[in-house]
Structure formats: structure tokens, C-alpha cells
């Protein structure tokens, strides 16, 4: 698979290189006695081949729910109630258990939130990697051991560490081992859900650098999830900002950084200043995200938005192009015109 050139990266728009993943109108509900929560409400996005796509938003906005829906790992009380998730043209929602088992890890793999604690504490790192190969591929133990050593080298861990138990590795090394395991079967899409949040800033930077380097060398696509928008901008080609179950802005990362359209994106950027460069004041976002059992009418961000107008309380703005390759869901974007059928709701 080819990696992107600098030029591709600058020009990348919606699936410019052909989508590896295409999520359309995804809807996920959690059933609860206190009322159903639509945690993901009509989310659509594409990820191109070799593209790093970021998904940012505050805690509880639905990021992990999207990731788990793509992996088809959602369990009761969660249910996918609408939409489609196509991976290389196949709708994952139509697959049976056996097909899913073959697709998971081979075509799409995931590094989970708090992944470094997801290693088995009583198995050596080597045995855990060998397990992945022997479970999913017809491979001898010896061949699997050799592949495991190569994989560790890929993430700058000495093959001596194959004999180590997770507790004998630093947090950063454990996280690298988890990334190596996720890449074992060469998936075309890697989902990373907050892969570095539990690590200190220096180790976080090193791991981010390594992910970027691996992605450029191997050319897989990434869905990178974080609440830290500044971290995301460093890694992703394009990104989406999510608020209360909906995408509110999608654009190439640099465009989004230089010229955010949505007041929520602006607020989120103020809350997470850049990792590098001069110190800037942290500006929190006032109040908390809404209770998802009873989301606000109109634009879901309006109760916290410093720019909200009367119309924002009643009209729910869909995600629409505000400029080339730049979509936003905000009535205040210059030139934004709500389609007629929406404004009558
Ligand atoms: N097991 C559950 N039962 C009921 N509702 C749930 C459950 N898990 C999640 N939710 C609902 O789904 C919403 C989205 O949760 P999700 O874990 O996807 O958020 P997130 O964006 O990944 O947050 P974080 O940044 O904290 O990981 C929550 O706000 C909550 O309302
Ligand atoms: Mg999460």
C-alpha cells in the first residue's frame, strides 16, 4: 500500500484516495431504565487509504461507541439502530460471527482505551504475540516467534523482551507492545482509542512520533480518537470534531486548526493548548456536555455557546460544506444555509 506524499496530504479531502472505511448515518442507542440514549446520532465519515483520520470531542460524546461499533464489539445495552459501516466496500453490519472473527484484527484492529493494561499479566509478551499469529494464521510456533521478534523491533523494543511479562516493561513499552500486537496481521485500518492518555507527556510524544513513522512506512489507515485536539492535529491528515453524539465539523487538520468554523471546535482548541510552542493560557469550556438522555433542542451546543442566537435554540444544523473540504454544523458559519426541510422541523 502506498503512503501519502506531502502533496497528497495537503490536498486530501473526503476520501481523495478511495475510502477504506465508509461510515454512513450511523446510529447507536443505549437502552436504560431512565430512558434510551442515542449516543451516536447520524454520524457519517470516510477514511481514505493511508489516511490518518482524527475524531475529537469531550468525554461522553460518543467516540468509543463509534470505535466499538466499527469493531462490532458493542454489547447490550448498546445497539446499532441505523446506518452502515463499510470496510473496503463490505458492510460490517451484515457480517455473521464467523466472518467478523476473520475480519477483526486482520482487516481492522483496535488499540483500546487504557490498552496498556489490556495485556495478559501472566503471559510473556512473546507468548501473547505468538498467540495472535497461531490463532489467526496457519503458522508454526517457531515461525510465529520469528514474526513476534520482528514485530517488537518494529516498535523499537528489543527481541530480548519477548520473554518479559507486562509488569517488567515500562508503561510506554507496554503501549508499544499493544500497538505491535494490533499491527500483527497487517490490518488496513487501525483504530486507536486514546492510545496515549495514561502516559506522561514525554512518553506520549515518543509514541505519537512512532505511530506516525509506522503509519508512513506501512501505509495503513488510522482512526485516531482523543479528547485532546492539539495532539490530534500533530498526527492526523483530516479530522472530525464530535459533540453530544453528532459530528459538528470535518476538515483537513491544518485547515481546522487555522480556521475552525464551529464555536465548539474553537472552545476545544482553547482547552487543549499545543504540546509544543509557547505557553498559552488554558481556557476551559463553560458548563458540562448535555445529559444525552435529554439533549438540548436545536444545536446541541447552544446552551454552552457564547455566540448562540435565538435560531440556534430551535434549528438543528446539519453538517454542510462551508468551504472546499470543510464541513460544519453551525448556523453562524458565513454562507451557511439550512436546507428547507430541516428549518421547518
Ligand atoms: N454502558 C452504557 N450504558 C448506558 N449508556 C452508555 C453506556 N456507555 C456509554 N453510554 C452513553 O454513551 C455516551 C457516549 O459514551 P462513549 O463511551 O462512547 O463516549 P466517549 O466519547 O468515548 O467518552 P470518553 O472520552 O470518556 O472515553 C455516554 O455519554 C453515555 O451517555
Ligand atoms: Mg471513550
Amino acid at each position: 500500500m502506498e503512503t501519502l506524499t506531502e502533496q497528497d496530504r495537503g490536498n486530501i479531502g473526503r476520501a481523495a484516495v478511495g475510502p477504506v472505511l465508509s461510515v454512513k448515518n450511523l446510529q447507536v442507542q443505549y437502552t436504560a431504565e431512565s430512558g434510551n440514549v442515542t449516543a451516536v446520532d447520524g454520524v457519517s465519515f470516510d477514511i481514505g487509504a493511508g489516511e490518518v483520520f482524527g475524531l475529537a470531542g469531550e468525554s461522553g460524546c460518543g467516540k468509543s461507541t463509534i470505535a466499538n461499533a466499527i469493531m462490532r464489539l458493542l454489547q447490550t445495552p448498546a445497539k446499532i439502530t441505523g446506518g452502515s459501516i463499510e470496510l473496503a466496500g463490505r458492510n460490517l453490519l451484515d457480517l455473521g460471527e464467523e466472518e467478523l472473527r476473520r475480519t477483526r484484527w486482520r482487516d481492522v484492529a483496535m488499540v483500546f482505551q487504557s490498552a496498556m493494561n489490556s495485556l495478559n499479566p501472566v503471559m510473556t509478551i512473546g507468548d501473547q504475540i505468538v498467540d495472535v499469529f497461531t490463532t489467526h494464521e496457519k503458522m508454526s510456533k517457531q515461525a510465529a516467534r520469528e514474526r513476534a521478534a520482528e514485530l517488537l523491533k518494529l516498535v523499537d523494543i528489543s527481541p530480548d523482551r519477548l520473554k518479559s511479562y507486562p509488569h517488567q516493561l515500562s508503561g510506554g513499552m507496554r503501549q508499544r507492545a499493544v500497538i505491535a500486537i494490533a499491527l500483527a496481521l497487517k490490518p488496513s485500518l487501525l483504530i486507536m482509542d486514546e492510545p496515549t492518555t495514561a502516559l506522561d507527556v514525554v512518553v506520549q510524544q515518543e509514541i505519537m512520533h512512532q505511530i506516525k513513522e509506522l503509519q508512513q512506512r506501512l501505509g495503513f489507515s488510522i482512526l485516531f480518537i482523543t479528547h485532546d485536539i492539539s495532539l490530534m492535529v500533530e498526527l492526523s491528515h483530516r479530522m472530525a470534531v464530535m459533540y453530544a453524539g453528532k459530528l459538528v465539523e470535518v476538515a483537513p487538520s491544518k485547515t481546522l486548526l487555522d480556521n475552525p468554523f464551529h464555536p465548539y471546535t474553537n472552545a476545544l482548541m482553547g482547552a487543549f493548548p499545543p504540546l509544543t510552542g509557547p505557553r498559552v493560557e488554558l481556557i476551559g469550556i463553560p458548563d458540562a456536555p448535555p445529559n444525552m438522555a435529554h439533549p438540548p433542542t436545536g444545536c446541541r451546543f447552544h446552551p454552552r455557546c457564547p455566540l448562540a442566537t435565538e435560531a440556534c435554540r430551535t434549528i438543528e444544523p446539519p453538517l454542510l460544506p462551508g468551504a472546499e473540504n470543510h464541513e460544519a454544523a453551525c448556523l453562524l458559519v458565513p454562507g451557511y444555509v439550512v436546507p428547507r426541510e430541516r428549518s421547518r422541523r
Side-chain angles (χ1 to χ4, degrees):
M1 207 183 287
E2 279 178 19
T3 52
L4 295 175
T5 62
E6 279 304 320
Q7 195 185 6
D8 286 335
R9 217 163 280 140
N11 292 340
I12 197 135
R14 182 160 271 265
V17 202
V20 162
L21 180 80
S22 186
V23 174
K24 292 200 183 89
N25 216 8
L26 182 66
Q27 195 143 28
V28 183
Q29 248 182 31
Y30 289 91
T31 316
E33 271 179 22
S34 51
N36 291 351
V37 166
T38 303
V40 176
D41 195 359
V43 165
S44 302
F45 62 91
D46 288 346
I47 303 181
E51 184 177 28
V52 182
F53 185 80
L55 181 59
E58 280 167 291
S59 186
C61 71
K63 306 179 297 295
S64 297
T65 304
I66 292 181
N68 287 314
I70 297 168
M71 290 297 284
R72 289 283 314 272
L73 290 171
L74 285 174
Q75 288 176 343
T76 324
K79 193 164 181 237
I80 296 175
T81 46
S84 62
I85 301 171
E86 287 188 3
L87 188 72
R90 276 192 316 166
N91 187 357
L92 298 181
L93 304 187
D94 293 339
L95 301 189
E97 265 313 310
E98 180 51 32
E99 284 171 301
L100 271 179
R101 210 180 56 81
R102 267 184 272 129
T103 294
R104 263 187 225 128
W105 309 116
R106 188 181 304 278
D107 299 327
V108 51
M110 180 158 161
V111 172
F112 292 90
Q113 211 163 350
S114 72
M116 61 182 196
N117 301 320
S118 69
L119 291 165
N120 186 335
V122 296
M123 265 174 99
T124 64
I125 299 295
D127 285 346
Q128 296 189 50
I129 306 181
V130 165
D131 243 23
V132 175
F133 285 126
T134 50
T135 311
H136 292 270
E137 293 191 350
K138 286 197 184 88
M139 196 183 276
S140 70
K141 273 230 154 153
Q142 180 53 32
R145 286 223 149 254
E146 282 163 22
R147 287 279 295 280
E150 281 166 26
L151 257 188
L152 281 191
K153 272 197 256 167
L154 197 66
V155 291
D156 284 343
I157 300 180
S158 157
D160 301 345
R161 292 295 192 165
L162 285 172
K163 295 192 211 82
S164 301
Y165 287 90
H167 74 269
Q168 294 170 317
L169 306 183
S170 67
M173 259 196 213
R174 279 204 300 268
Q175 188 63 313
R176 279 169 205 223
V178 170
I179 293 168
I181 292 173
L183 292 175
L185 303 178
K186 303 196 172 105
S188 50
L189 175 67
L190 180 63
I191 301 176
M192 307 186 98
D193 191 357
E194 307 266 9
T196 60
T197 352
L199 301 165
D200 70 57
V201 176
V202 175
V203 180
Q204 197 173 34
Q205 285 274 37
E206 279 170 17
I207 299 224
M208 293 302 289
H209 185 78
Q210 184 148 46
I211 294 170
K212 202 168 179 173
E213 201 266 327
L214 279 173
Q215 190 278 331
Q216 285 174 355
R217 186 140 52 98
L218 304 176
F220 51 88
S221 307
I222 300 182
L223 170 58
F224 185 84
I225 294 174
T226 179
H227 55 272
D228 184 341
I229 203 163
S230 304
L231 189 70
M232 172 96 68
V233 166
E234 301 212 352
L235 182 76
S236 61
H237 303 134
R238 223 158 38 98
M239 57 188 285
V241 176
M242 187 168 186
Y243 187 76
K246 289 175 178 282
L247 298 192
V248 296
E249 186 157 1
V250 185
S253 302
K254 189 161 178 347
T255 308
L256 200 124
L257 182 72
D258 293 345
N259 184 23
F261 279 168
H262 203 289
Y264 178 63
T265 308
N266 226 338
L268 203 58
M269 288 196 310
F272 294 95
L275 286 174
T276 51
R279 279 173 182 234
V280 289
E281 194 189 341
L282 258 179
I283 307 161
I285 309 174
D287 304 323
N291 172 354
M292 290 294 286
H294 306 285
T297 56
C299 168
R300 291 183 175 183
F301 186 57
H302 89 255
R304 300 171 79 190
C305 182
L307 307 174
T309 64
E310 200 46 46
C312 301
R313 291 174 213 280
T314 52
I315 301 170
E316 189 171 343
L319 195 62
L320 292 175
E324 205 183 346
N325 288 335
H326 192 164
E327 295 172 314
C330 175
L331 298 178
L332 306 174
V333 175
Y336 186 96
V337 181
V338 182
R340 273 171 151 260
E341 70 275 17
R342 293 274 185 155
S343 58
R344 270 193 260 111
R345 267 188 194 178

